């Protein structure tokens, strides 16, 4: 009962002065901590860390040292280690590393080379079939298993050779009528069988499987599936090549030291060389050309074990072997495989790669020969489709040749294309392989060659597409740009097939956006709408249409310009499938938020973006994931924040009201709108400098009313509580006292509804800590809220205390007492003659009551009740299992009395001593904390008005933990 009667009288201004850090004048001279630091490279002549100065010769003329270097006296620990190392070894290591790096730069393939693995998936997806396929499976032989332990080596060799012959003689099973998926599964099974056979040391069986698979590459019965078959089977060949290489490499390990990456054949032991030769001899004995070629190419890297020139000698021989393959499609894929292996093991041997390609050019006319034509008639395959089967192989060969090749090679290729009558297939691959800069510089030459191509074989629109892809990456000469677009679009716009048209148009839209104005972009978009609207062709082209939108907003990110493109919004109307439409809207909003630097009130932008945001909002339903809702809300909020009508606050409020009606299903958007309206009210106050006119007072009340009716529609209880508090503070700041009271009452009445557990980031957590934080904020506000003339003294504080009293707290929680202790802080602050802070132009209770004794008596009654509750709780914690909590709370309450009570009063002094002893009574007090608290009391006792702390310190014993 004595607490508030004897609350310490506070002089907040002088306390603030005492607590300030002491200011010391500093003369920095030229130095300033935020200035850029010049790091000086110091060469230390003398290392002495003990205080003698080391002379340093600096390579920088700057007088300012890097602070880190100065601490280390010019020597960092790593430099010391380096200096201590053997200089000869260090130099040798550096030289070898540099040589290795230089060699890698000249011979290795860099990151700018697109690997085969990135093309694999595209080929498998593109070249498919619904026809039935067949496959020959190897059936394991039982021959030669019953050998005795004493069998001669020659017997073992003969058995091996017989096993190899056995494969040729038909120990295989043909599986017919397989679907494409069955075929893929069988090939994967063979790949696994190869690994299993190898791991169980059945090397001959593994070789048989590889030969068996290679043979499949001579079969072109289902010709449109051939590129995919090549991908699947060469995966097996790659696996085999890797297994053989690693096996031989493992045999070279000497004294547990493996060979370095750039080993020489001299460092390979005889056993490894013999094994390697054995593999090449086995492969040489394969009778058929195609399996012999593929299997040898697969282990081409193993030549490194035999001689330095092994690979460079083998490549020309293997290139010549391909001349023996009659089918031009099979031959070109064999060439592609050789290039693939060649680039992996010897990318520097470009001559062999070039010879490989020129061989292909010499045999190119075979494609139009009778044999191929007859085969196509039997399989009912048209020439244009047949020619596209060559693309992956030729593209790859040319990519290998063109990699880091000089520009002169492109000129040579163009000449060869002209000699072959501007063959479209070849021209397409040349444009795909060479650097975009080279192609773009010769755009008009390529257009001339494309025009002269034969239309029947390879469609011209694909050539224009390839040219467009290059022009998206590099710019053509400025004078040619418009002519290039006109020539390309003349061909594209005549395309009748919507799919062909959109595949081409998608690429050229980027070129148009890069180099031309909105007029040309509008024309292109209009043409796309014209082609894609009939028969709802757009429904099959959503990915391409999405890509077009993405390109347009990438290059035209000024949204006032974008929405003035007449055909942009009609283009959006083609996205009729909701999921795609929403994705497109998200792209546009992301671009707006990223690029819009200044707030806008442009009606064209606002109407268009409101429509787009509404589309996103309306896609939300009961099945929408929380993450998706969060993303959509963030985009809509980004838009709302960018809308500003300047000083036209009423227009701004009207916009927020409209937005609330449009986006009512997304809670984060409603929260943002409440914050925005509160901000609008505060901006109005700022403009009026706190002196509202009748009109602005009415406007502010309208803002407050907006918040008051919007908050109850939110589902999250803590969001509602915090917004009631925040909006009440805004109302109070704008002198809307009855509205502020309404917010605070709503918050008080909501507290009992707080559940025990709440969801935080998808996990259930106890709500006590959140409630404690909210109530502490609430108490801070209640200090300055004036009492209502008709409601009685401290009606809001009483109401809140009643709610806290009735709230069901967890048994193991002390939050209720912590809240009561915070209430004492509030009540202590309320008894002061002048409060620590005020709201401008709002009279708080210190002014209203002027320290009236009845008012102080009411506070005192409240205080008695609260202290009684705290002491009852401390008593209840006297059981053994809760003694630690009792100790912590006793010290917490002691600190409250220390800070806010007048300890000259004997009863209060005695209470504080009792709490101190209770905190230490059972040995649970933190000794460090107790020592620091006592030191603080002794320090405070030196202040004139705190001399009574000296006696208090003598009455507070420190008990040891024992």
């Amino acid at each position: 009962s004595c607490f508030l009667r004897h609350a310490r009288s506070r002089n907040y201004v002088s306390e603030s002065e005492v607590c300030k850090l002491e200011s010391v004048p500093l003369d920095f001279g030229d130095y300033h901590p935020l200035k850029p630091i010049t790091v000086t490279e110091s060469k230390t002549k003398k290392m002495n860390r003990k205080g003698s100065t080391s002379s340093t010769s600096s390579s920088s003329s700057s007088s300012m040292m890097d602070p880190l270097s100065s601490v280390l006296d010019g020597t960092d620990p790593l430099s010391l280690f380096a200096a201590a190392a053997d200089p000869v070894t260090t130099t040798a290591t550096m030289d070898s590393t540099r040589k290795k790096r230089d060699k890698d730069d000249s011979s290795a393939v860099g990151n700018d080379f697109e690997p085969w693995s990135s093309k694999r998936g595209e080929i498998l997806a593109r070249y498919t079939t619904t026809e039935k396929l067949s496959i020959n499976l190897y059936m394991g032989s039982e021959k030669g298993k019953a050998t005795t332990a004493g069998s001669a080596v020659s017997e073992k060799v003969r058995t091996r050779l017989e096993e190899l012959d056995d494969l040729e003689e038909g120990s295989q099973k043909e599986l017919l009528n397989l679907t494409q998926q069955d075929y893929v599964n069988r090939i994967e099974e063979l790949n696994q069988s190869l690994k299993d056979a190898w791991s169980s040391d059945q090397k001959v069986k593994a070789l048989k499987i590889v030969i068996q698979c290679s043979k499949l590459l001579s079969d072109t019965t289902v010709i449109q599936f051939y590129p995919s078959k090549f991908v699947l089977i060469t995966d097996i060949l790659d696996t085999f090549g890797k297994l053989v290489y690693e096996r031989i490499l493992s045999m070279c390990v000497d004294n547990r030291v493996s060979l370095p990456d750039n080993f020489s054949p001299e460092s390979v032991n005889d056993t490894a060389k013999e094994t390697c030769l054995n593999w090449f001899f086995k492969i040489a004995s394969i009778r058929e050309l195609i399996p012999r070629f593929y299997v040898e190419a697969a282990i081409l890297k193993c030549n490194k074990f035999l001689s330095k020139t092994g690979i460079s000698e083998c490549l020309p021989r293997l290139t010549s072997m391909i001349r023996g393959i009659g089918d031009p499609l099979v031959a070109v894929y064999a060439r592609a495989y050789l290039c693939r292996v060649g680039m992996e093991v010897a990318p520097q041997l470009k001559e062999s790669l070039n010879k490989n390609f020129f061989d292909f050019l010499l045999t190119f006319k075979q494609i139009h020969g009778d044999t191929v034509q007859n085969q196509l008639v039997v399989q009912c395959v048209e020439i244009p489709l047949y020619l596209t089967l060559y693309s992956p192989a030729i593209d790859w060969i040319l990519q290998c040749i063109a990699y880091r090749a000089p520009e002169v090679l492109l000129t040579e290729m163009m000449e060869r294309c002209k000699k072959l009558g501007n063959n479209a297939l070849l021209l397409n691959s040349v444009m795909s392989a060479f650097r975009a800069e080279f192609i773009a510089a010769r755009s008009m030459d390529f257009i001339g060659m494309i025009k002269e191509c034969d239309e029947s074989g390879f469609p011209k629109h694909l050539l224009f597409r390839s040219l467009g892809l290059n022009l998206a990456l590099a710019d053509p000469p400025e004078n040619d740009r418009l002519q290039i677009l006109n020539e390309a679009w003349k061909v594209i716009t005549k395309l009748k097939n919507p799919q062909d048209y959109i595949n081409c148009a998608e690429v050229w839209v980027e070129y148009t956006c890069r180099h031309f104005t909105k007029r040309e972009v509008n024309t292109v978009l209009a043409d796309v709408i014209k082609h894609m609207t009939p028969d709802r062709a757009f429904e099959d082209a959503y990915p391409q249409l999405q890509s077009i939108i993405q390109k347009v907003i990438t290059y035209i990110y000024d949204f006032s310009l974008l929405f003035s493109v007449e055909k942009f919004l009609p283009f959006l109307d083609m996205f009729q499938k909701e999921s795609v439409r929403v994705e497109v809207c998200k792209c546009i909003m992301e671009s707006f938020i990223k690029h819009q630097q200044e707030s806008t009130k442009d009606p064209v932008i606002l109407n268009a973006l409101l429509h787009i945001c509404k589309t996103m909002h309306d896609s939300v339903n009961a099945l929408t994931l929380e993450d998706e809702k969060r993303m959509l809300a963030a985009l809509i909020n980004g838009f709302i924040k960018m809308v500003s009508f300047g000083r036209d606050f009423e227009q701004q409020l009207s916009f927020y009201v409209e937005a609330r009606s449009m986006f009512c299903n997304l809670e984060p958007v409603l929260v943002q709108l409440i914050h925005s309206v509160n901000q609008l009210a505060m901006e109005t106050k700022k403009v009026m400098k706190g002196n509202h006119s009748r009109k602005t007072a009415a406007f502010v009340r309208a803002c407050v009313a907006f918040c008051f009716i919007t908050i109850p529609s939110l589902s999250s209880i803590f969001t509602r509580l915090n917004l009631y508090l925040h909006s009440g503070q805004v109302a109070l700041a704008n002198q809307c006292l009855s509205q502020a009271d309404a917010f605070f009452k709503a918050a008080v009445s909501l507290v009992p509804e707080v559940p025990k557990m709440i969801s935080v980031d998808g996990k259930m957590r106890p709500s006590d800590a959140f409630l404690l934080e909210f109530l502490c904020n609430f108490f801070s506000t209640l200090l300055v809220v004036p009492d209502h003339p008709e409601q009685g003294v401290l009606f809001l504080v009483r109401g809140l205390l009643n709610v806290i009293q009735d709230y069901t707290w967890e048994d193991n929680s002390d939050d209720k007492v912590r809240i009561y202790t915070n209430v004492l802080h509030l009540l202590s602050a309320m008894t002061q003659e002048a409060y620590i802070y005020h709201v401008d132009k709002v009279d708080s209770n210190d002014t209203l009551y002027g320290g009236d004794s009845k008012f102080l008596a009411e506070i005192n009654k409240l205080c008695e009740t609260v202290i009684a509750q705290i002491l009852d709780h401390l008593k209840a914690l006297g059981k053994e299992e809760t003694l630690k909590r009792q100790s912590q709370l006793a010290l917490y309450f002691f600190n409250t009395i220390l800070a806010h009570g007048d300890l000259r009063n004997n009863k209060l002094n005695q209470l504080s001593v009792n709490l101190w002893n209770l905190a230490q009574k059972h040995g649970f007090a933190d000794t460090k904390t107790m020592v620091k608290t006592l030191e603080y009391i002794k320090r405070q006792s030196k202040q004139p008005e705190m001399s009574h702390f000296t006696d208090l310190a003598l009455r507070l014993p420190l008990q040891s933990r024992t």
Side-chain angles (χ1 to χ4, degrees):
S1 64
C2 55
F3 181 80
L4 258 297
R5 226 173 280 155
H6 301 285
R8 187 156 66 87
S9 178
R10 309 284 289 272
N11 183 337
Y12 292 118
V13 177
S14 62
E15 280 185 41
S16 173
E17 285 299 320
V18 170
C19 293
K20 274 185 184 171
L21 290 171
E22 186 183 353
S23 59
V24 179
L26 279 177
D27 181 20
F28 281 109
D30 285 342
Y31 171 75
H32 188 278
L34 299 182
K35 262 191 180 179
I37 291 170
T38 308
V39 180
T40 57
E41 184 188 343
S42 303
K43 294 168 186 158
T44 306
K45 289 178 183 169
K46 180 177 164 190
M47 288 192 299
N48 191 337
R49 304 295 287 277
K50 288 275 179 172
S52 70
T53 53
S54 64
S55 59
T56 60
S57 65
S58 171
S59 64
S60 164
S61 60
S62 169
S63 61
M64 199 169 74
M65 280 292 290
D66 165 20
L68 299 181
S69 302
S70 61
V71 170
L72 290 165
D73 205 20
T75 56
D76 67 284
L78 298 181
S79 303
L80 288 171
F81 280 128
D86 179 8
V88 180
T89 317
T90 310
T91 311
T93 309
M94 284 171 69
D95 283 352
S96 66
T97 308
R98 192 182 299 114
K99 281 178 188 168
K100 184 173 185 291
R101 189 175 67 240
D102 294 345
K103 187 180 175 196
D104 288 350
D105 286 349
S106 64
S107 63
V109 173
N111 293 332
D112 53 340
F113 184 79
E114 188 182 359
W116 173 258
S117 55
S118 67
K119 297 178 181 292
R120 191 180 170 282
E122 188 188 334
I123 296 171
L124 289 172
R126 184 176 169 192
Y127 298 99
T128 57
T129 183
T130 52
E131 292 186 38
K132 297 297 181 187
L133 303 155
S134 63
I135 190 171
N136 293 322
L137 276 183
Y138 164 66
M139 307 298 288
S141 166
E142 296 300 319
K143 282 188 191 177
K145 292 246 173 124
T147 53
T148 61
S151 294
V153 175
S154 58
E155 179 66 26
K156 186 178 176 185
V157 172
R158 199 174 78 228
T159 307
R160 290 261 176 109
L161 288 170
E162 279 175 3
E163 283 180 340
L164 272 174
D165 286 341
D166 186 35
L167 176 68
E168 310 276 336
E169 289 158 14
S171 67
Q172 48 201 6
K173 173 185 174 187
E174 190 170 21
L175 297 178
L176 303 169
N177 297 325
L178 298 176
T179 64
Q180 182 181 320
Q181 191 53 50
D182 291 339
Y183 189 90
V184 172
N185 293 343
R186 295 292 180 202
I187 294 287
E188 284 173 1
E189 282 172 24
L190 280 172
N191 203 351
Q192 192 53 49
S193 301
L194 166 67
K195 291 174 186 171
D196 294 344
W198 191 271
S199 59
S200 59
D201 211 29
Q202 293 176 280
K203 303 292 189 285
V204 171
K205 181 181 176 183
L207 180 58
K208 284 182 177 186
I209 291 169
V210 175
I211 294 170
Q212 186 76 52
C213 293
S214 307
K215 279 187 170 185
L216 296 173
L217 289 172
S218 58
D219 171 29
T220 55
T221 46
V222 182
I223 205 160
Q224 63 268 40
F225 184 63
Y226 191 84
S228 290
K229 184 200 286 189
F230 170 79
V231 167
L232 294 166
I233 288 167
T234 51
D235 281 354
I236 295 178
L237 287 162
D238 291 344
T239 302
F240 176 71
K242 194 176 173 188
L243 290 170
V244 173
Y245 183 81
E246 286 175 357
R247 162 81 177 135
I248 298 168
L249 189 64
S250 69
M251 297 170 78
C252 300
V253 176
D254 190 23
N255 296 332
R256 294 188 179 179
V257 178
S258 56
L259 287 178
D261 290 342
N262 52 348
F263 66 86
S264 63
E266 290 78 33
S267 54
V268 178
N269 59 43
D270 291 344
T271 314
K273 281 185 178 176
E274 192 177 332
T275 307
C276 187
L277 276 170
N278 191 19
W279 275 110
F280 281 111
F281 292 152
K282 276 179 191 169
I283 290 161
S285 66
I286 299 170
R287 294 172 192 170
E288 291 185 33
L289 171 62
I290 289 176
R292 187 166 74 251
F293 164 79
Y294 272 107
V295 180
E296 185 173 350
I299 67 162
L300 181 67
K301 192 177 181 181
C302 294
N303 278 288
K304 284 171 68 177
F305 296 110
L306 300 176
S307 75
K308 283 182 179 177
T309 57
I311 292 173
S312 57
E313 287 166 5
C314 275
L315 275 173
R317 181 171 56 76
L318 288 169
T319 303
S320 302
M321 275 172 73
I322 299 172
R323 294 175 183 173
I325 300 175
D327 189 315
L329 185 67
V330 177
V332 79
Y333 275 94
R335 294 184 193 285
Y337 187 66
L338 188 58
C339 281
R340 187 167 128 199
V341 176
M343 281 302 276
E344 197 178 309
V345 299
Q348 72 278 15
L349 299 175
K350 279 287 180 70
E351 283 303 312
S352 298
L353 300 180
N354 293 352
K355 182 174 182 285
N356 191 359
F357 182 68
F358 294 141
D359 267 13
F360 162 69
L361 292 182
L362 291 172
T363 58
F364 193 74
K365 54 177 85 72
Q366 277 183 289
I367 290 176
H368 302 289
D370 292 343
T371 314
V372 172
Q373 299 298 327
N374 295 339
Q375 187 185 13
L376 297 183
V377 170
V378 171
Q379 294 200 34
C380 303
V381 174
E382 299 289 327
I383 272 281
L385 174 62
Y386 175 68
L387 288 177
T388 59
L389 302 178
Y390 283 80
S391 289
I394 300 175
D395 287 354
W396 178 257
I397 296 168
L398 274 166
Q399 183 188 319
C400 296
I401 291 172
Y403 179 62
R404 291 184 180 170
E407 203 166 346
V408 67
L409 185 63
L410 174 58
T411 312
E412 189 183 342
M413 286 294 172
M414 288 171 77
E415 289 304 318
R416 284 181 180 268
C417 284
K418 284 174 184 170
K419 281 181 188 170
L420 286 166
N422 285 335
N423 182 276
L425 173 65
L426 203 54
L427 197 57
N428 190 58
S429 292
V430 167
M431 286 192 288
S432 302
F434 281 87
R435 280 172 56 188
E437 295 83 0
F438 295 172
I439 306 292
R442 296 171 170 74
S443 299
M444 289 310 296
D445 295 340
F446 275 104
I447 285 176
M449 292 168 75
I450 292 169
K451 280 181 174 176
E452 291 168 21
C453 281
D454 180 16
E455 183 70 56
S456 62
F458 196 90
K460 276 188 186 175
H461 68 84
L462 291 181
L463 296 175
F464 274 109
R465 186 176 190 278
S466 296
L467 181 60
L469 286 168
N470 280 293
L471 295 178
L473 299 170
D475 299 337
E478 199 165 335
N479 298 336
D480 297 340
R481 287 174 188 175
L482 185 58
Q483 193 182 349
I484 291 167
L485 180 61
N486 288 335
E487 292 289 351
W489 210 262
K490 262 187 235 169
V491 175
I492 295 167
T493 195
K494 286 177 187 167
L495 292 171
K496 297 283 185 282
N497 182 324
Q499 207 59 41
D500 290 344
Y501 170 84
I502 197 67
N503 284 336
C504 248
E506 174 208 349
V507 172
W508 281 88
V509 163
E510 183 162 3
Y511 175 75
T512 313
C513 293
R514 264 171 85 108
H515 300 298
F516 300 99
T517 63
K518 70 171 190 176
R519 189 170 69 89
E520 287 81 3
V521 174
N522 193 52
T523 308
V524 169
L525 293 182
D527 197 58
V528 174
I529 294 169
K530 186 176 124 189
H531 277 80
M532 300 310 291
T533 309
D535 304 325
R536 298 177 71 83
F538 53 76
E539 289 184 344
D540 299 320
Y542 283 138
Q544 292 93 328
L545 293 172
Q546 265 181 281
S547 172
I548 288 174
I549 286 286
Q550 189 67 58
K551 284 164 182 169
V552 170
I553 59 179
T554 300
Y555 289 98
I556 308 178
Y557 42 78
D558 176 351
F559 274 72
S560 55
L561 185 64
L562 179 67
F563 290 126
S564 66
V565 175
E566 195 183 324
K567 294 293 179 183
F568 183 74
L569 290 174
F571 191 93
L572 287 183
D573 292 338
M574 285 197 289
F575 295 99
Q576 308 237 324
K577 186 179 176 185
E578 189 185 53
S579 59
V580 182
R581 194 180 179 87
V582 170
E583 281 304 313
V584 171
C585 291
K586 276 158 65 175
C587 278
I588 294 170
M589 291 312 302
E590 280 166 7
S591 176
F592 176 78
I593 290 164
K594 182 180 175 184
H595 292 112
Q596 187 73 22
Q597 299 294 327
E598 295 172 358
S599 51
T600 180
K601 60 176 181 179
D602 184 331
V604 176
I605 295 179
L606 295 191
N607 289 332
L609 291 184
L610 273 173
H611 171 68
I612 286 167
C613 289
K614 181 85 172 107
T615 303
M616 294 196 303
H617 169 270
D618 291 350
S619 69
V620 174
N621 56 38
L623 300 176
T624 308
L625 297 171
E626 285 302 316
D627 277 355
E628 177 71 5
K629 285 185 191 173
R630 261 198 297 274
M631 182 189 278
L632 294 176
L635 292 172
I636 296 171
N637 284 345
F639 163 59
I640 289 169
K641 288 176 192 170
M642 292 306 296
V643 176
S644 170
F645 290 90
R647 284 289 185 91
D648 191 348
F649 291 163
E650 288 183 355
Q651 181 70 38
Q652 188 84 30
L653 184 60
S654 300
F655 169 76
Y656 291 144
V657 171
E658 186 185 355
R660 181 177 62 185
S661 65
M662 291 175 88
F663 308 126
C664 54
N665 289 337
L666 287 171
E667 193 160 302
V669 179
L670 294 178
V671 171
Q672 177 59 46
L673 287 169
I674 293 166
H675 283 309
S676 297
V677 170
N678 277 329
Q679 190 179 351
L680 191 61
M682 293 309 287
E683 279 178 21
T684 310
K685 174 180 183 276
K686 187 178 174 184
V687 168
M688 299 303 292
K689 296 179 179 166
N691 301 309
H692 283 299
S693 64
R694 185 177 293 180
K695 186 180 177 184
T696 59
F699 175 74
V700 167
R701 284 198 292 274
C703 291
V704 169
F706 175 99
C707 298
F708 194 74
I709 60 174
T710 309
I711 294 172
S713 62
L714 304 175
S715 61
S716 165
I717 193 153
F718 278 104
T719 305
R720 272 185 283 161
L721 281 170
N722 286 313
L723 283 173
Y724 274 134
L725 178 56
H726 183 220
S727 302
Q729 289 166 345
V730 170
L732 199 60
N734 282 285
Q735 299 127 53
C736 302
L737 300 183
S738 57
Q739 285 85 349
D741 279 352
F743 279 116
F744 297 141
K745 279 181 189 170
V748 170
S749 60
L750 196 57
V751 169
E753 294 176 30
V754 173
K756 293 285 166 289
M757 305 290 283
I758 54 167
S759 176
V760 180
D761 296 331
K763 292 178 182 172
M764 297 307 289
R765 298 273 165 81
S767 62
D768 292 5
F770 296 96
L771 185 56
L772 178 62
E773 184 187 0
F774 166 75
L775 289 172
C776 288
N777 285 340
F778 199 0
F779 294 146
S780 301
T781 304
L782 289 179
L783 174 63
V784 291
V785 177
D787 281 345
H788 193 286
E790 296 169 11
Q791 299 279 1
V793 177
L794 301 180
F795 74 103
L796 281 172
V797 178
R798 289 173 188 282
L800 191 52
L801 281 172
N802 290 335
V803 165
I804 294 165
Q805 176 64 27
D806 296 339
Y807 187 79
T808 314
W809 299 88
E810 293 290 329
D811 291 339
N812 61 345
S813 166
D814 297 321
D815 286 331
K816 185 176 180 179
V817 172
R818 292 183 188 280
I819 289 168
Y820 279 149
T821 313
N822 279 301
V823 171
L824 289 179
H825 300 171
L826 168 65
L827 296 174
S828 166
M830 282 183 161
T831 62
Q832 304 300 322
E833 282 183 30
Y835 289 174
I836 187 169
Y837 47 81
H838 292 88
V839 176
D840 190 32
K841 295 188 172 55
V842 173
D843 290 333
S844 297
N845 286 340
D846 56 343
T847 309
L848 294 180
Y849 292 108
D852 183 73
S853 57
K854 287 182 183 176
F855 173 65
L856 294 177
E858 287 293 331
I859 292 177
N860 199 43
K861 278 185 197 169
L862 276 179
C863 191
E864 284 179 23
T865 313
V866 170
I867 289 179
Q869 293 273 0
I870 294 172
L871 294 175
D872 286 349
H873 187 83
L874 281 171
K875 199 180 287 183
L877 293 177
K879 299 170 192 164
E880 193 173 340
E881 64 272 15
T882 53
L883 290 175
K884 187 173 182 181
R885 282 165 56 197
Q886 186 190 53
S887 167
Q888 289 169 342
L889 279 181
L891 187 59
Y892 187 60
F893 189 26
F894 170 83
N895 284 328
T896 294
I897 294 175
L898 196 63
H900 298 279
D902 184 354
L903 290 169
R904 282 174 293 204
N905 176 271
N906 292 335
K907 284 187 178 177
L908 202 54
N909 202 306
Q910 188 55 49
L911 175 61
S912 64
V913 172
N914 293 346
L915 287 168
W916 176 268
N917 292 331
L918 181 62
Q920 297 184 97
K921 187 175 181 183
H922 300 286
F924 285 108
D926 178 34
T927 312
K928 272 188 184 176
T929 308
M930 303 301 277
V931 168
K932 282 184 178 176
T933 307
L934 197 53
E935 282 172 1
Y936 166 77
I937 294 169
K938 287 173 181 173
R939 261 201 322 275
Q940 289 292 97
S941 67
K942 290 173 185 172
Q943 292 182 30
E945 69 276 15
M946 293 287 191
S947 54
H948 57 284
F949 270 31
T950 311
D951 296 334
L952 177 66
L954 296 172
R955 297 180 64 198
L956 300 178
L958 271 177
Q959 293 177 6
S960 66
R961 292 295 287 265
T962 53

